[in-house]
Amino acid sequence: MTDVSALAHSLSEVYDLNTFLYIRRYDLGGLMLLYAPGYRISPSFYLTINALLFIGSALIYKRLIVDRLSDGGSLTVAMLGLLGNPFFLLNMAGPNKELPLLLLTLLLAFNLTKKTKGWFWKSTLIAGLTTFFRDGYGMLLMIFVFVYYLGHIPRWRLPLPAKVIFICLAISAGAAIFSHSLAEWLPFVRRNLSVANLLPHDEAAGGAISATTWLDILKVFVQWGRHLVLNATSLALFPMLTQQSGSIYWIGVSYTIFGFLNLVACICAIFTLVSTMKADTNVTQQLDAWALAQILSVIWLGLFVLMSASAYVQPRYQMTILPIGVSVVALHTRHVRRAILWVPIVLALGFLATRYAHGVLPPTVPSDFFPVNPYIPR
């Protein structure tokens, strides 16, 4: 994959401490510290490091979900949250951001659900560590931790989920509207706008507009709403499964599988919060599966909303929160699980059948080109 090749190329330039310190982007620092030492010995260390990261994620996920499943929960669905995304397996042989971010995200979710002493500072530290792998994602995690802390203010009479999601919606919409102003002092916002301006109009879902008038603000707000919908549905409804050469596009297949599970997570999170919102309970003092499902839904939906402040559609960045969303399905009863799993299937198949009936077939993609072999030192 191109991202893996690009990261491997950066690692191949790290010959000693001087070349390591020359790297100016701090959001690559974590990747360099994680992969560079092993790479100088042998590229085979990629697989070892990634396997350890995945095992660590699995152990955290076990304590977060598997050990807390009730009698009516589904271990199979819970495992699907961690093992159902083939993209992780495709990335296993090379350096990547997804696996370290997956581990840190699950650790953050575990810390937020346990609420041990000093949970706010521990969560902030975990979120801060993620900035050394993807700075924008790390900032979103830190914003969410702060919002989650504000949600526990007792003066507000709304239930915790309503307070957190409402604040996340306000922040996300506000960041989308004032993104050009924020770009002047936030590097990751500036990079996001630069990428959006380079993408085709459809991929950027409208492009990056500077909100200078009320009409511009309305346009950006509409685009932000489109981002919410497309981040939840695009990979499932618009699959890219073949290359122009006629071969199977395995990355696209992985994206499609992830897209379906991502849509499942979205539907389940909304259903869970709507069905539990009326029960104004103090979830921080409950340990049952129902309260856990509510907290995890708040985490997934809150981060999903914050990510949609981007100037372009980027559902792939939600891969690291996928286990949190799918695990909520595992905590529900059997009939609810079946409904939540079947609704996306019917929706996706119906949408694709309609497009096929109108002669619109899934597009083919050009073959990937890797200018650098990512697994052989230069």
Side-chain angles (χ1 to χ4, degrees):
M1 285 171 285
T2 52
D3 284 353
V4 174
S5 177
L7 289 174
H9 177 59
S10 298
L11 286 170
S12 69
E13 300 295 331
V14 180
Y15 294 101
D16 51 35
L17 180 61
N18 290 330
T19 55
F20 175 81
L21 295 177
Y22 181 74
I23 299 172
R24 298 179 182 276
R25 284 185 56 181
Y26 66 89
D27 59 314
L28 294 179
L31 290 169
M32 294 301 168
L33 287 173
L34 184 62
Y35 289 108
Y39 177 84
R40 299 316 308 162
I41 301 173
S42 170
S44 62
F45 274 86
Y46 287 148
L47 184 59
T48 302
I49 294 170
N50 289 335
L52 291 174
L53 289 172
F54 195 79
I55 291 172
S57 301
L59 293 175
I60 298 173
Y61 190 73
K62 179 179 181 295
R63 295 188 63 186
L64 175 65
I65 300 299
V66 177
D67 292 347
R68 300 160 79 176
L69 285 174
S70 61
D71 294 336
S74 172
L75 179 61
T76 302
V77 175
M79 290 296 95
L80 187 64
L82 192 62
L83 303 176
N85 185 2
F87 194 83
F88 289 139
L89 299 179
L90 292 177
N91 274 348
M92 192 65 71
N96 65 90
K97 301 176 182 178
E98 283 75 20
L99 286 173
L101 289 176
L102 173 68
L103 186 147
L104 290 172
T105 302
L106 290 175
L107 185 61
L108 175 65
F110 179 78
N111 194 60
L112 290 177
T113 57
K114 279 295 185 180
K115 289 293 193 310
T116 56
K117 184 178 179 180
W119 67 268
F120 174 74
W121 300 112
K122 293 177 184 177
S123 300
T124 303
L125 176 61
I126 295 170
L129 290 175
T130 63
T131 61
F132 295 99
F133 296 93
R134 183 179 286 153
D135 53 355
Y137 182 77
M139 287 299 299
L140 292 180
L141 289 187
M142 284 193 281
I143 290 173
F144 179 80
V145 170
F146 183 70
V147 171
Y148 195 71
Y149 178 80
L150 290 180
H152 288 78
I153 296 177
R155 295 179 182 178
W156 298 5
R157 295 184 179 180
L158 288 174
L160 172 67
K163 288 185 284 189
V164 172
I165 300 303
F166 176 79
I167 297 174
C168 286
L169 285 170
I171 293 175
S172 182
I177 293 172
F178 300 106
S179 56
H180 285 267
S181 299
L182 294 172
E184 296 180 2
W185 56 284
L186 292 177
F188 61 90
V189 177
R190 187 161 55 248
R191 288 199 304 271
N192 187 269
L193 293 177
S194 299
V195 172
N197 290 327
L198 295 174
L199 290 173
H201 182 82
D202 291 339
E203 291 185 35
I209 298 176
S210 178
T212 56
T213 66
W214 285 109
L215 181 59
D216 291 336
I217 292 176
L218 179 61
K219 290 180 179 179
V220 174
F221 190 78
V222 171
Q223 287 180 18
W224 171 74
R226 290 184 64 194
H227 290 175
L228 286 172
V229 175
L230 291 175
N231 277 336
T233 63
S234 59
L235 291 180
L237 301 183
F238 302 97
M240 294 184 292
L241 307 177
T242 58
Q243 294 180 319
Q244 292 177 352
S245 61
S247 59
I248 298 176
Y249 183 48
W250 291 110
I251 297 177
V253 172
S254 300
Y255 282 162
T256 302
I257 295 173
F258 159 72
F260 169 76
L261 293 176
N262 188 55
L263 182 55
V264 168
C266 183
I267 293 174
C268 185
I270 294 174
F271 169 80
T272 302
L273 293 182
V274 170
S275 60
T276 60
M277 198 75 74
K278 295 181 179 180
D280 189 8
T281 56
N282 185 0
V283 296
T284 61
Q285 296 180 358
Q286 298 184 34
L287 299 177
D288 59 359
W290 193 244
L292 178 62
Q294 187 184 69
I295 296 175
L296 294 176
S297 296
V298 170
I299 295 173
W300 188 93
L301 195 58
L303 291 176
F304 166 78
V305 167
L306 291 175
M307 290 180 190
S308 297
S310 169
Y312 56 93
V313 178
Q314 48 183 6
R316 172 189 159 182
Y317 290 174
Q318 296 160 203
M319 286 186 175
T320 52
I321 64 174
L322 179 67
I324 298 173
V326 175
S327 66
V328 179
V329 184
L331 295 168
H332 281 281
T333 58
R334 178 179 297 180
H335 69 280
V336 173
R337 288 198 303 268
R338 288 179 176 177
I340 291 174
L341 290 173
W342 272 107
V343 167
I345 292 177
V346 173
L347 176 63
L349 292 180
F351 181 81
L352 292 174
T354 302
R355 287 172 60 87
Y356 183 81
H358 288 81
V360 181
L361 301 178
T364 58
V365 298
S367 300
D368 290 322
F369 173 70
F370 305 108
V372 176
N373 189 324
Y375 310 122
I376 300 178
R378 298 177 62 201

